[in-house]
Amino acid sequence: LLQSQEALNKLELKRYKLQYLPTLAAYASYIQQAQRSKFDFFDFDQKWYPIGLFGVTMNVPIFSGGQRYYRVKQAQVNLAKTNNSLMNLKSAIELEVNIASISYKNAFASLLTQKKNRELATSIFDTAKKKYEAGVGSNLEVVTAETSLKEAETNYLNAVYDLIIAKADLDKALGNIK
């Protein structure tokens, strides 16, 4: 849309600049008239009178009160505004892509960390359970390890969810989502 607006602004600027040039127009006309007092147009024996006209008109712009000058300046300002908007949009898109990419990398790193935490919590829970079954550990130790395991699994699932959201945001920023 901004590129179309830029093209239109360029054409508008060109149009206003061309108003400084002189214009030349030619015209011609040829007709025949009967010039009779009664209605007998289909009587072809009577004479018809031809009338021909041709001419040329030249318009040389000399003074417009500064109106053309300020129209050109306004068109230049509009073109500059559109160019600035286009550059601003490109920068915003690049920023969005960079942010989405960094967010995706961070979510992936967080997923790997939460996966290791889950594996560690599983190992601790298995150890605490074996100690309890052997009579060396307490019930409180097993409950605490189980709570830590549930928390680690919840954190892992949240990290998976965050990774999926970050991937969708990255695809959106790259324009892969249709």
Side-chain angles (χ1 to χ4, degrees), residues 6-156:
E6 181 184 32
L8 289 174
N9 285 345
K10 285 179 181 178
L11 289 174
E12 182 181 38
L13 178 61
K14 184 178 179 180
R15 177 178 69 120
Y16 287 139
K17 284 183 175 180
L18 289 176
Q19 287 181 348
Y20 284 104
L21 299 177
T23 58
L24 183 65
Y27 56 91
S29 175
Y30 178 78
I31 59 172
Q32 287 189 344
Q33 292 183 350
Q35 297 184 3
R36 298 184 193 124
S37 58
K38 50 184 186 170
F39 187 77
D40 58 353
F41 294 118
F42 299 110
D43 185 8
F44 295 110
D45 293 334
Q46 295 207 11
K47 186 171 183 177
W48 287 76
Y49 300 96
I51 300 174
L53 173 68
F54 66 92
V56 176
T57 302
M58 183 170 188
N59 183 7
V60 179
I62 297 173
F63 181 71
S64 67
Q67 186 177 16
R68 279 186 304 236
Y69 174 77
Y70 288 110
R71 282 184 182 163
V72 168
K73 289 298 178 189
Q74 185 62 45
Q76 289 171 340
V77 167
N78 289 341
L79 182 60
K81 281 183 187 178
T82 304
N83 287 335
N84 287 340
S85 297
L86 192 58
M87 289 188 321
N88 194 11
L89 178 65
K90 287 179 182 177
S91 297
I93 289 171
E94 289 174 5
L95 178 65
E96 185 177 350
V97 168
N98 288 338
I99 288 172
S101 177
I102 290 169
S103 179
Y104 178 74
K105 289 175 185 175
N106 289 342
F108 187 72
S110 176
L111 177 71
L112 294 177
T113 303
Q114 293 304 326
K115 185 177 181 181
K116 288 179 185 177
N117 286 346
R118 185 182 70 170
E119 291 170 358
L120 180 62
T122 303
S123 173
I124 292 172
F125 174 72
D126 289 342
T127 305
K129 191 174 178 184
K130 287 178 186 175
K131 282 173 58 177
Y132 177 72
E133 290 172 354
V136 187
S138 70
N139 187 23
L140 180 62
E141 188 178 349
V142 174
V143 171
T144 304
E146 185 178 14
T147 304
S148 295
L149 177 62
K150 298 294 182 192
E151 183 179 341
E153 287 176 348
T154 302
N155 290 342
Y156 176 75

Side-chain angles (χ1 to χ4, degrees), residues 93 96-97 168-178:
I93 289 171
E96 185 177 350
V97 168
D169 289 343
L170 180 60
D171 286 344
K172 178 183 169 193
L174 292 173
N176 296 335
I177 296 177
K178 299 202 180 356

